[in-house]
């Protein structure tokens, strides 16, 4: 003890493991077995390290505390209300995870021959069929490993279809300006040209603008319905007719399926192909940086172009379609069967729910969003589309507050963190200034929704009387307001030892 005072610390700092390292400290001792020693002997001497790598040296308890503390500093669906619009941060039942984690499934070798893989292939074939039934489109490939990859796959299928029809000049994709950023990005990645379509003041696609943009060059129109404004496109069948009459195809971004599950099928709205986000709607959490899955569904004429692998059944025997059998397929998008763990969770979730359960999801998702929208409206929040019924999510705008009181949408979001509620999506959709996109999901209780409304009402009041409280929030978290520009432009991503005086600088 050198006489320094120890300060009380409710959130002890979490230093980097390297900073806590003490030479010689160990978490456990790995004793190299005969096999490891043998393997080392087999390595050519010039490939072996001369000195040990610079690894942190810590006790096991230090390591456990380090990672546990880091995990406690995260907001998560398991610990906090998480109304992050467009991301559908709902509770994902543990039962679905337990099924997907059965030992026979997780230890399966990816090269297992089809003959030894009948149970898994049968399950995936069934999932293909269940997703086909949900979307109304006849065939589904589970291959894509994310929403954006599903978009890319479906657009590549559409481009290939047009080429085969002798319509190779169809290279334009029309995307409403309310769309998720992945839509134009996927079209561009696919080598197609993106044209933006305007939205009417009450949140529908501007059909006059659409009619003007459709031409012999249009390959596809990408739509999200309900859109990311949270509103259901009222003239969807008319739009689909216009698109088809122009010889183009309709693509459905199915990331918002939570709003319509079990009630209306994209095929019935007139869509030719779509992707689904299993890691939003179907029992895999979104946004955790973990794996996802973005299956694509296709109409009869687009089905031959679906990506591989694709599970087939002949006389009760399941197998993967070969490239020879599917010469028009856009090909393989990744390794093996895709993210099978995510696919299996979706399967278990759908089995748990059944057909009736699907409609309960969308019913409660829409009810909860409408309830919160109503509560916030009464608390003085301005709905961006007040004349429209909220679907699973809705947009509020704080443009007036920003002008009058100087607090912005981002400040409200940061202040919500102080109340243990994760921030809604901010500044998206791009169409609405100073907006929050709020999606409470079907899995929150009414008490929790009431608390969300109460907290946001109180924040509105705070903002009107003492805006600096919001502008400097969060106040109660281990880390307060960060400089987002510096974090993006000058991130510190490496760790270096401080060189001992006189020693050469580390490489
Ligand atoms: C999340 C989302 C996507 C993209 O899905 P990723 O799996 O994140 O690539 C596309 N469209 C909408 C509307 C989304 O919400």
């Amino acid at each position: 003890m050198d006489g320094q005072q120890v300060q009380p610390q409710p959130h002890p700092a979490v230093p980097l493991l390297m900073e806590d390292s003490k030479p010689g400290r160990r978490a456990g001792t790995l004793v190299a077995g005969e096999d490891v020693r043998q393997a080392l002997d087999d390595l050519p001497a010039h490939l072996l390290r001369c000195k040990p790598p610079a690894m942190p040296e810590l006790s096991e308890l230090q390591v456990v505390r380090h990672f546990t503390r880091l995990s406690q500093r995260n907001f998560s669906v398991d610990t906090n209300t998480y109304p992050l619009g467009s991301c559908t941060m709902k509770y994902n039942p543990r039962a679905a995870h337990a099924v997907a984690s059965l030992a026979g499934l997780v230890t399966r070798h990816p090269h297992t021959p089809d003959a030894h893989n009948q149970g898994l292939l049968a399950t995936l074939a069934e999932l293909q069929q269940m997703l086909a039934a949900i979307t109304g489109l006849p065939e589904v490939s589970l291959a894509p490993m994310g929403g954006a990859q599903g978009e890319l796959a479906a657009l590549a299928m559409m481009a290939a279809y047009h080429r085969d029809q002798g319509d190779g000049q169809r290279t334009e994709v029309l995307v409403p300006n309310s769309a998720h950023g992945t839509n134009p990005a996927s079209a561009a990645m696919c080598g197609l040209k993106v044209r933006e379509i305007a939205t009417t003041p009450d949140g529908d696609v501007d059909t006059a603008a659409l009619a003007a943009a459709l031409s012999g060059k249009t390959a596809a129109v990408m739509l999200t319905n309900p859109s990311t404004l949270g509103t259901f496109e009222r003239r969807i069948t008319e739009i689909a007719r216009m698109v088809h009459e122009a010889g183009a195809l309709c693509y459905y971004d199915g990331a918002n399926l939570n709003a319509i599950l079990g009630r209306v099928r994209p095929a019935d709205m007139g869509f030719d192909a779509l992707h689904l986000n299993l890691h939003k709607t179907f029992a895999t959490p979104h946004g955790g940086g973990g794996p996802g899955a973005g299956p694509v569904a296709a109409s009869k004429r687009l089905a031959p172009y679906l990506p591989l692998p694709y599970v087939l059944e002949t006389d009760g025997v399941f197998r993967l379609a070969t490239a020879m059998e599917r010469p028009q397929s856009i090909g393989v998008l990744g390794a093996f069967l895709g993210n099978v763990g995510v696919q299996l969770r979706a399967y278990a979730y759908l089995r748990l729910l059944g057909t009736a359960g699907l409609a309960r999801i969308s019913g409660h998702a829409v009810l909860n969003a409408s309830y919160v929208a109503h509560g916030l409206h009464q608390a003085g929040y301005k709905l961006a589309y007040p004349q429209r019924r909220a679907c699973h999510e809705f947009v509020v705008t704080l443009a007036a507050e920003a002008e009058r009181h100087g607090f912005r949408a981002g400040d409200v979001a940061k202040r919500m963190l102080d109340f243990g509620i994760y921030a809604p999506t901010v500044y998206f959709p791009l169409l609405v200034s100073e907006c929050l996109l709020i999606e409470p999901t079907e899995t929150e209780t009414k008490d929790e929704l009431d608390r969300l409304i109460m907290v946001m009402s109180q924040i509105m009041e705070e903002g009107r009387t003492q805006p600096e409280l919001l502008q400097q929030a969060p106040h109660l978290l281990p880390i307060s307001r960060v400089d987002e520009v510096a974090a993006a432009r000058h991130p510190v991503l490496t760790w270096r030892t401080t060189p001992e005086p006189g020693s050469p600088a580390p490489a």
Side-chain angles (χ1 to χ4, degrees), residues 3-88:
Q4 268 179 11
Q5 280 258 296
V6 181
Q7 297 303 320
Q9 246 184 321
H11 302 292
V14 186
L16 297 178
L17 287 175
M18 276 298 195
E19 292 167 346
D20 261 358
S21 178
K22 285 255 161 70
R25 205 168 257 171
R26 288 289 178 272
T29 313
L30 278 180
V31 182
E34 190 47 46
D35 51 340
V36 173
R37 271 196 297 274
Q38 181 65 48
L40 285 176
D41 286 347
D42 290 346
L43 285 172
H46 72 279
L47 294 180
L48 295 177
R49 283 178 179 281
C50 316
K51 53 178 195 213
M55 298 288 282
E57 300 179 74
L58 301 149
S59 76
E60 182 168 327
L61 178 56
Q62 282 182 299
V63 176
V64 169
R65 282 195 183 142
H66 175 83
F67 287 108
T68 307
R69 281 190 184 134
L70 279 186
S71 77
Q72 288 170 335
R73 294 195 177 184
N74 272 335
F75 279 73
S76 71
V77 175
D78 284 353
T79 49
N80 305 83
T81 304
Y82 214 118
L84 187 66
S86 206
C87 289
T88 311

Side-chain angles (χ1 to χ4, degrees), residues 85-88 145-151 178-183 186 224 226-228 251 253-256 275-280 286-287 292-294 392-393 428 437 439:
S86 206
C87 289
T88 311
M145 280 173 277
Q149 202 184 32
E151 293 171 21
S178 61
H180 192 271
T182 50
N183 290 189
S186 301
T224 311
S227 71
T228 54
Y251 176 79
D253 176 337
N256 286 350
H275 86 270
L276 301 173
N277 272 46
L278 296 190
H279 53 292
K280 278 182 188 170
H286 173 67
H392 62 305
E393 60 188 358
F428 176 81
L437 177 61
E439 179 178 12

Side-chain angles (χ1 to χ4, degrees), residues 96-114:
H97 183 67
V99 169
S101 310
L102 290 173
L105 295 169
V106 292
T107 60
R108 188 145 294 259
H109 196 282
H111 280 303
T112 305
D114 291 354

Side-chain angles (χ1 to χ4, degrees), residues 379-458:
Y381 282 84
K382 186 169 172 353
L383 299 174
Y385 299 95
Q387 68 281 45
R388 303 297 298 274
R389 185 149 52 127
C391 286
H392 62 305
E393 60 188 358
F394 61 94
V395 185
V396 298
T397 169
L398 290 134
E401 284 73 15
E403 185 145 316
R404 205 169 312 140
H405 304 286
F407 70 91
R408 305 185 55 197
D411 300 322
V412 172
K414 294 286 186 203
R415 181 65 175 147
M416 287 171 73
L417 303 175
D418 279 335
F419 294 86
I421 296 176
Y422 192 76
T425 297
V426 291
Y427 305 118
F428 176 81
L430 305 176
L431 271 184
V432 184
S433 65
E434 291 303 328
C435 68
L436 296 174
L437 177 61
I438 301 173
E439 179 178 12
T441 83
E442 76 278 13
T443 54
E444 296 295 343
T445 60
K446 179 171 174 295
D447 297 341
E448 205 52 53
L449 299 179
D450 285 333
R451 181 164 183 277
L452 171 63
I453 295 168
M454 240 155 65
V455 165
M456 288 188 71
S457 311
Q458 195 175 315

